[in-house]
Amino acid sequence: MLCPVCGNKTRVQIREDTELKNFPLFCPKCHKQTLINAKQLNITKAEVPDAKTQSR
C-alpha cells in the first residue's frame, strides 16, 4: 500500500477481497498516521469529524 500523504510504500499489504474501515495506516518514512477505508483495492482517506467542545 502507498501512503496517501507522501506516496511512499508502507508495510501493509491487502488483497482484492479485503475491506477496511477506519484503518490507521502508519507511514515509516513521513511518520504520519492516516485513517483509510479500502474496498476492492480502492483506497480513500476516512473523514473523521472533529470533537466538539462542551460549553458549561
Side-chain angles (χ1 to χ4, degrees):
M1 263 178 131
L2 299 178
C3 174
V5 177
C6 66
N8 288 307
K9 292 180 184 178
T10 61
R11 295 182 182 126
V12 177
Q13 294 180 356
I14 60 172
R15 297 179 358 170
E16 277 188 42
D17 58 347
T18 302
E19 292 186 20
L20 299 172
K21 185 173 181 183
N22 293 332
F23 180 75
L25 179 68
F26 178 76
C27 178
K29 181 160 184 178
C30 66
H31 300 286
K32 302 257 187 207
Q33 183 173 345
T34 310
L35 288 177
I36 63 164
N37 295 327
K39 188 172 186 178
Q40 295 180 349
L41 298 179
N42 292 328
I43 301 163
T44 57
K45 287 176 81 173
E47 296 296 324
V48 178
D50 293 335
K52 294 182 180 180
T53 57
Q54 295 180 353
S55 59
R56 293 182 178 199

